[in-house]
Amino acid sequence: MRIGVFDSGIGGLTVLKTLINKYPCHEYIYCGDTKNIPYGEKSIDELKQLSSDIINFLINKNVNIIIIACGTVSSNIYTYLKNKYNVPIYDIISPTINYINNCNYTNIGVIGTKRTIESKVFSNTNKNIKEASCPKFVPIIESNDISKIDDCLDEYLNNLKDCDLIVLGCTHYPLIKNNLNKYFNDKVKLLNMADCLPKVDLVETHKNIELYFSKLDYITKNNIDKIIKYNYIEEIQFNK
């Protein structure tokens, strides 16, 4: 099966890595829109246009299903995209909310991009949720200067110190898991949304991983090499 996965940048590679571990015998086409990052600051109309351009690219690659590996897109325009296209499209937020609703944790925090937190999508849970917008995280992660993350942790996370579960509401955030664990003294469970994806039956083919990015410089390439192994990588504009 050919599986399309997309995100604003390298964050969705954490989802892709989880998918490959669960379903190794498939063809994966990944798109990261590094030229237009961060998505967390985009308008809804911009998100619709950027996401549609990527989905059209993936459809032209003959994918069988598409997974939105982006918290911002999933929380704001998933229904719009699902209704717009005939290809099956799955988001990363819905299974996360399902996990929250059925877990035993009571003090739950959610951290995400500005646009994700403003969407109030996590208000659909049956738990009391504390939320924190972390707009500096994604640009710092993409710049591969993780040491700067520590400088803004207290600014964003101070009000979440009493939580026993923190939902990483952006797929970039697993890449700073060590920083977050240190800040919370390893006393808080960090939930990677990719781990909430349900197991499904997929027709196996053969393993192949193609990566496409709208901007592919040395820093991005270095970040990618740290996260995942791949068969092919290319810089391409998705709206060609």
Side-chain angles (χ1 to χ4, degrees), residues 81-93:
L81 295 174
K82 183 178 67 171
N83 293 334
K84 181 177 179 178
Y85 293 97
N86 291 325
V87 62
I89 298 177
Y90 301 91
D91 74 311
I92 196 75
I93 296 288

Side-chain angles (χ1 to χ4, degrees), residues 27-231:
E27 299 176 75
Y28 292 94
I29 312 296
Y30 180 86
C31 296
D33 193 10
T34 39
K35 181 179 180 181
N36 293 299
I37 207 166
Y39 274 19
E41 306 298 318
K42 304 296 185 189
S43 69
I44 297 299
D45 285 341
E46 287 175 314
L47 290 176
K48 288 179 177 179
Q49 184 61 60
L50 294 169
S51 298
S52 295
D53 288 342
I54 294 174
I55 289 174
N56 289 333
F57 174 82
L58 288 171
I59 289 173
N60 286 334
K61 287 289 184 179
N62 298 313
V63 298
N64 302 109
I65 64 172
I66 294 173
I67 296 173
I68 305 172
C70 175
T72 301
V73 174
S74 294
S75 59
N76 285 276
I77 60 169
Y78 168 57
T79 301
Y80 165 81
L81 295 174
K82 183 178 67 171
N83 293 334
K84 181 177 179 178
Y85 293 97
N86 291 325
V87 62
I89 298 177
Y90 301 91
D91 74 311
I92 196 75
I93 296 288
S94 297
T96 304
I97 290 176
N98 184 60
Y99 174 90
I100 293 172
N101 284 333
N102 292 283
C103 74
N104 294 322
Y105 294 98
T106 55
N107 298 317
I108 300 175
V110 176
I111 57 177
T113 67
K114 177 176 178 287
R115 183 63 67 185
T116 295
I117 299 303
E118 287 179 348
S119 75
K120 299 297 181 183
V121 67
F122 287 98
S123 64
N124 293 325
T125 64
N126 57 22
K127 303 291 180 69
N128 292 321
I129 304 288
K130 289 184 179 180
E131 297 178 285
S133 173
C134 309
K136 295 179 185 176
F137 280 4
V138 169
I140 291 174
I141 293 167
E142 289 282 339
S143 69
N144 198 22
D145 195 3
I146 301 300
S147 61
K148 290 183 178 179
I149 287 289
D150 295 332
D151 296 335
C152 53
L153 289 179
D154 203 52
E155 173 188 353
Y156 295 150
L157 308 181
N158 184 55
N159 291 332
L160 304 181
K161 285 187 174 180
D162 62 339
C163 295
D164 46 18
L165 173 71
I166 300 290
V167 178
L168 307 182
C170 170
T171 56
H172 280 76
Y173 296 174
L175 299 173
I176 56 169
K177 189 175 181 179
N178 290 338
N179 304 72
L180 296 173
N181 276 326
K182 183 178 178 181
Y183 179 80
F184 289 112
N185 297 314
D186 293 313
K187 295 180 179 179
V188 177
K189 175 180 172 58
L190 302 178
L191 179 64
N192 181 349
M193 293 192 294
D195 293 333
C196 300
L197 291 171
K199 189 171 183 178
V200 295
D201 292 326
L202 299 174
V203 179
E204 292 189 352
T205 50
H206 64 279
K207 184 177 180 180
N208 187 65
I209 303 165
E210 297 178 14
L211 308 181
Y212 297 90
F213 291 86
S214 54
K215 181 181 179 182
L216 189 60
D217 55 20
Y218 171 78
I219 293 175
T220 301
K221 180 68 162 51
N222 189 42
N223 279 330
I224 296 165
D225 289 341
K226 290 178 181 178
I227 301 170
I228 199 167
K229 294 181 180 179
Y230 50 87
N231 301 106

